[in-house]
Amino acid sequence: MPEILKLQTFSGQPYEIAFDPTDREDSIYTVALHKSGSVLFDNLVKAICKASGRSCVDIEVQLFRQGLNFSHCDHLLLDFCGRPGFVYSGFRGLWQLMLLRRFRDSRKLMLVRDPRDIAISFYHSMAKSHTVPDGAVRDVIMEQRNRAQAQGPSDYVLSGGVDGVFSNFNAFAMLSRNKAAGEWRIYRYEDVIYTKIEWARDIARQLNVELSEDAIAKLVAKEDVFPETEDPSKHIRRVHPGGYREALTPEAIAHIERYCAKAMAVFGYDMHAASATAGDKVA
């Protein structure tokens, strides 16, 4: 039977976090950049936990459904994130998690993606497909939607529309190499999107659970979606990597590569030749 944690935002709005009790001691945290395959990653993690009996708490997802994000919440929610035994899934940013000793000392799984493909996916999500909940985050998302719909993808990138996600990308890279940040298991979207069985098998190992090959195959089958044609209005729009080459101008690609140069090197992403002709030197 799930338990309910009842809290209030800084402004006094009540909200709830549901979780299944656990008697385990090991905690696992999963983080993924926006538009990196984060929903797929979260779905796999939660399905593996459900099939194996591990308690998984998708705090950021639950907040979003209530029209909130972490900026609305005080230290009591952060304190909850330091409880032992849970798989804490679905983080798109690091919020204040580095303040938690349990986070630093626990295993962490990270999903990243080529930021140039993230830019295209984020643009289409903001312009058309992103869910808009009621609540405090609605105005923020609607402002982003209006901005995206008024611009093409390259202008949106050049005007800074995706810079917040790029900043997270850079932070992920920095922390993945920081010994004080603890242990990370890093997945690149491009390496796992066509090998979901192997990916799910490794996720299960990282979560310290055992599942049969048949169980893994069944849960992956529900997530193994490849659209026949690209549809910008759908959440699962393209899947295949590399679409930025046709969708972005050389100037927009150069902007991304300047912003993310060091992090791209950390995660093994090559620079695009277009940057050399865009009139700006990549740092």
Side-chain angles (χ1 to χ4, degrees):
M1 179 70 67
E3 294 185 10
I4 304 294
L5 178 69
K6 296 187 177 183
L7 298 171
Q8 290 186 344
T9 65
F10 286 116
S11 64
Q13 177 183 336
Y15 69 94
E16 298 180 346
I17 300 296
F19 62 96
D20 292 319
T22 178
D23 57 5
R24 295 185 64 136
E25 291 298 320
D26 60 320
S27 299
I28 312 288
Y29 297 82
T30 75
V31 299
L33 291 166
H34 282 91
K35 313 315 296 179
S36 66
S38 54
V39 172
L40 168 62
F41 187 32
D42 196 35
N43 286 349
L44 288 175
V45 168
K46 288 190 284 192
I48 289 168
C49 287
K50 182 177 180 180
S52 63
R54 280 217 67 164
S55 182
C56 183
V57 190
D58 56 349
I59 291 176
E60 191 164 296
V61 174
Q62 292 191 52
L63 287 177
F64 185 80
R65 289 171 180 164
Q66 297 170 80
L68 301 170
N69 59 37
F70 281 109
S71 68
H72 302 115
C73 306
D74 64 16
H75 71 281
L76 294 177
L77 182 59
L78 182 63
D79 291 345
F80 175 80
C81 294
R83 293 190 185 185
F86 294 104
V87 173
Y88 293 95
S89 75
F91 290 107
R92 267 60 170 188
L94 293 167
W95 187 42
Q96 295 177 320
L97 291 174
M98 276 297 294
L99 297 176
L100 295 175
R101 179 178 295 276
R102 186 169 300 279
F103 178 79
R104 298 193 303 271
D105 292 346
S106 297
R107 180 175 298 164
K108 295 167 285 291
L109 280 58
M110 175 192 296
L111 177 65
V112 298
R113 186 182 186 182
D114 189 318
R116 296 160 295 196
D117 275 335
I118 283 178
I120 291 300
S121 184
F122 190 81
Y123 167 78
H124 286 297
S125 179
M126 289 299 103
K128 297 180 181 180
S129 65
H130 200 295
T131 301
V132 183
D134 294 326
V137 301
R138 180 178 180 84
D139 289 345
V140 175
I141 294 178
M142 288 308 301
E143 180 180 352
Q144 292 174 325
R145 173 149 297 174
N146 292 335
R147 179 180 180 180
Q149 289 180 344
Q151 298 177 301
S154 291
D155 288 337
Y156 185 69
V157 168
L158 288 168
S159 68
V162 198
D163 283 0
V165 183
F166 298 154
S167 293
N168 278 341
F169 182 74
N170 292 339
F172 282 17
M174 178 186 68
L175 286 175
S176 72
R177 304 187 77 178
N178 185 342
K179 292 182 179 179
E183 179 184 0
W184 294 91
R185 174 62 166 162
I186 300 171
Y187 303 111
R188 299 196 323 168
Y189 175 92
E190 296 77 13
D191 298 332
V192 299
I193 193 62
Y194 299 122
T195 58
K196 296 188 185 74
I197 291 285
E198 291 81 359
W199 186 25
R201 190 184 296 128
D202 190 74
I203 291 172
R205 283 195 296 268
Q206 300 300 321
L207 299 183
N208 296 325
V209 302
E210 293 185 5
L211 288 177
S212 68
E213 288 297 309
D214 183 60
I216 289 176
K218 286 181 179 179
L219 65 88
V220 166
K222 296 179 181 179
E223 305 296 334
D224 204 18
V225 179
F226 290 91
E228 292 185 8
T229 58
E230 181 175 335
D231 187 345
S233 68
K234 301 294 185 181
H235 174 75
I236 302 177
R237 182 185 60 86
R238 175 184 170 96
V239 176
H240 303 289
Y244 74 87
R245 294 183 179 89
E246 295 78 38
L248 293 177
T249 64
E251 291 77 15
I253 294 171
H255 170 82
I256 298 168
E257 294 180 351
R258 284 194 305 273
Y259 205 111
C260 302
K262 292 182 179 179
M264 289 177 70
V266 168
F267 293 127
Y269 290 108
D270 294 331
M271 296 293 183
H272 193 279
S275 298
T277 62
D280 291 294
K281 182 179 179 181
V282 177

